[in-house]
């Protein structure tokens, strides 16, 4: 193994150690940098010798040096996973051939691991990771070397919109079915679900930029008039299905569905960004009691899918979503068979599908197209 790869492994292990802190503290709204780490049982401050990634856990045989409390094996496993991932990324996009391409990928890989574990622990995908992660994945395209197989800027923006769109449409249509086609009680202005729905409908007919434009005009109208435009979801998605059928008959089914999904996704991400920035630094609003609607898929998954779309571009994104749904179905069935009654979040499957598509997407798609060509 070359010296550079050893450096990547060490860097990965150190980032893995930091990731363990983030995974624990971020959902608890604790500072990530201060104070230093303590044993959760005896509260003894941990010294440098207790905090060497992987090695400290092995040397202390998984126990606290001061009170002998067991330390979860997940800590060294996350550090090893991060080290291994960094090495794989450095092997796939070597510095000498692709210059700085690998650097943003390291950060995005770390974010995906952190998001998967926070979601699995807390059923939560924090905006403070998904939204900056999406922005980073879009901006990273400016650093990618030619021939890296990664998207360019416009492909990343379209991929992010499409990714968010697939999940937000599952969220809207699934929710509609779960409510037996009754209207949603969600009312958010100036930008909320009504604008997402409007974009989905307009995007069918005019493509994604048209859909986005109509929704932004609607947002502006809400902001100026101070009133909320309400379009009941049942009839709106009835009309959506009708126009989609019409476009299919006219021979343009792919343009219609991709335009609709990307428009809805772009509005969903912009709306999420608006609400995140507006509520910056405020404590989370308490959920109104008894008003929670049944949902088919959470909004955190929408933003995670946007991140994946920006990282992968639309072809590998579709592969990632396909892999996530297959893995999620298998995982759900296994969980049920093993008697786990707990609802398993989808975020870890999305992250895993995304990473598989990042590493193997190009070869899998080439292999599949080769099969079709025969
Ligand atoms: Zn202790």
């Amino acid at each position: 193994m070359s010296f550079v790869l050893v450096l990547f492994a060490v860097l990965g292990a150190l980032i893995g150690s930091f990731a363990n802190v983030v995974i624990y503290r971020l959902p608890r709204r604790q500072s990530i940098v201060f104070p230093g780490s303590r044993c959760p049982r005896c509260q003894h401050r941990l010294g440098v010798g207790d905090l060497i990634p992987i090695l400290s856990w092995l040397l202390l045989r998984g126990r606290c040096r001061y009170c002998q409390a067991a330390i979860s094996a997940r800590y060294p496993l996350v550090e090893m996973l991060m080290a291994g991932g960094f090495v794989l990324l450095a092997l796939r996009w070597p510095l000498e051939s692709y210059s700085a391409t690998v650097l943003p990928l390291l950060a995005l890989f770390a974010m995906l691991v952190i998001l998967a574990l926070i979601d699995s622990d807390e059923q939560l995908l924090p905006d403070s990771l998904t939204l900056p992660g999406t922005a980073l994945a879009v901006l990273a395209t400016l650093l990618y070397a030619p021939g890296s197989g990664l998207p360019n800027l416009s492909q990343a923006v379209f991929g992010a919109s499409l990714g968010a769109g697939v999940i937000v449409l599952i969220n809207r249509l699934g929710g509609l079915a779960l409510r037996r086609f009754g209207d949603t009680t969600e009312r958010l202005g100036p930008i909320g679900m009504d604008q997402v729905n409007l974009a989905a409908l307009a995007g069918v007919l005019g493509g994604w930029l048209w859909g986005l434009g109509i929704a932004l005009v609607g947002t502006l109208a809400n902001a100026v008039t101070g009133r909320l435009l309400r379009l009941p979801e049942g009839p709106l998605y009835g009309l959506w299905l009708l126009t989609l059928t019409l476009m299919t008959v006219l021979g343009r089914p792919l343009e219609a569905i991709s335009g609709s999904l990307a428009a809805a996704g772009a509005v969903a991400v912009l709306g999420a960004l608006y609400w995140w920035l507006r509520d910056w630094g405020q404590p989370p609003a308490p959920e109104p009691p008894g008003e929670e609607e049944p949902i088919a898929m959470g909004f955190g998954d929408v933003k995670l899918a946007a991140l994946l779309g920006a990282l992968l571009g639309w072809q590998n994104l579709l592969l990632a979503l396909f892999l996530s749904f297959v893995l999620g179905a298998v995982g759900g069935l296994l969980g049920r068979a093993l008697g786990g009654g707990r609802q398993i979040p989808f975020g870890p499957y999305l992250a895993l599908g995304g990473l598989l598509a990042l590493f193997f997407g190009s070869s899998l798609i080439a292999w599949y197209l080769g099969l079709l060509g025969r």
Side-chain angles (χ1 to χ4, degrees):
M1 198 152 90
S2 79
F3 177 66
V4 176
L5 289 183
V6 175
L7 279 185
F8 271 97
V10 171
L11 178 68
L14 288 168
I15 299 287
S17 174
F18 176 64
N20 280 320
V21 177
V22 176
I23 292 163
Y24 184 82
R25 291 191 185 177
L26 191 66
R28 290 170 180 78
R29 301 190 151 250
Q30 297 171 354
S31 164
I32 283 163
V33 281
F34 193 81
S37 298
R38 287 169 186 276
C39 166
R41 194 170 90 175
C42 69
Q43 298 296 317
H44 198 290
R45 258 200 96 147
L46 301 182
V48 177
D50 305 314
L51 293 169
I52 304 165
I54 308 168
L55 293 181
S56 287
W57 190 88
L58 290 176
L59 291 174
L60 295 168
R61 295 196 187 83
R63 299 199 167 272
C64 169
R65 187 196 300 273
Y66 311 100
C67 72
Q68 307 301 316
I71 306 165
S72 165
R74 201 174 88 176
Y75 294 101
L77 286 176
V78 167
E79 288 154 2
M80 280 190 255
L81 173 69
M82 208 68 91
F86 275 36
V87 168
L88 284 180
L89 287 167
L91 286 169
R92 172 69 181 78
W93 287 281
L95 283 171
E96 58 271 27
S97 328
Y98 296 102
S99 61
T101 300
V102 72
L103 299 179
L105 297 179
L106 298 178
L108 291 164
F109 173 79
M111 281 175 149
L112 287 173
V113 171
I114 291 170
L115 280 164
L117 287 167
I118 291 181
D119 198 24
S120 135
D121 287 353
E122 313 281 340
Q123 329 269 308
L124 176 79
L125 292 164
D127 284 350
S128 52
L129 286 171
T130 49
L131 291 173
T134 304
L136 173 64
V138 168
L139 291 176
T141 57
L142 303 174
L143 271 181
Y144 297 154
S148 60
L150 294 159
N152 65 27
L153 181 62
S154 68
Q155 289 165 340
V157 171
F158 184 72
S161 305
L162 195 69
V166 170
I167 308 294
V168 84
L169 260 275
I170 293 175
N171 169 290
R172 295 334 292 161
L173 293 170
L176 194 61
L178 289 172
R179 295 191 305 270
R180 296 169 195 279
F181 304 98
D183 200 13
T184 172
T185 56
E186 280 177 321
R187 280 179 172 75
L188 276 178
I191 185 163
M193 288 311 168
D194 287 302
Q195 282 66 47
V196 172
N197 298 338
L198 197 58
L201 180 59
V204 172
L205 294 168
W208 79 292
L209 286 176
W210 180 248
L212 177 61
I214 295 262
L216 290 182
V217 169
T219 304
L220 200 64
N222 279 343
V224 170
T225 61
R227 299 159 64 96
L228 297 188
L229 171 79
R230 287 289 304 171
L231 298 166
E233 275 198 325
L236 186 135
Y237 277 104
L239 196 58
W240 177 80
L241 202 60
L242 202 68
T243 50
L244 208 55
T245 313
L246 182 73
M247 293 297 280
T248 306
V249 171
L250 292 175
R252 301 180 56 196
L254 284 180
E255 287 96 326
I257 191 71
S258 68
S260 177
L261 290 170
V267 175
V269 172
L270 288 179
L273 192 62
Y274 169 84
W275 289 105
W276 180 56
L277 293 174
R278 214 199 67 142
D279 298 340
W280 184 291
Q282 291 178 11
E287 297 280 335
E291 282 200 12
E292 217 167 306
E293 289 183 355
I295 52 165
M297 195 166 277
F299 222 74
D301 295 314
V302 173
K303 292 164 254 182
L304 177 55
L307 193 167
L308 292 179
L311 171 63
L312 298 169
W314 71 266
Q315 289 106 327
N316 276 341
L317 165 78
L318 293 182
L319 176 68
L321 292 176
F322 172 75
L323 291 173
S324 313
F325 286 118
V326 171
L327 291 167
V330 172
L333 287 175
L334 274 181
R336 197 166 292 179
L338 298 173
R342 192 173 76 103
Q343 195 175 350
I344 304 171
F346 190 55
Y349 296 111
L350 266 179
L352 182 58
L355 289 175
L356 289 174
L358 177 67
F359 282 112
F360 308 113
S362 310
S363 29
L364 269 178
I365 288 174
W367 170 76
Y368 183 67
L369 291 179
L371 281 188
L372 288 186
R374 246 174 243 175

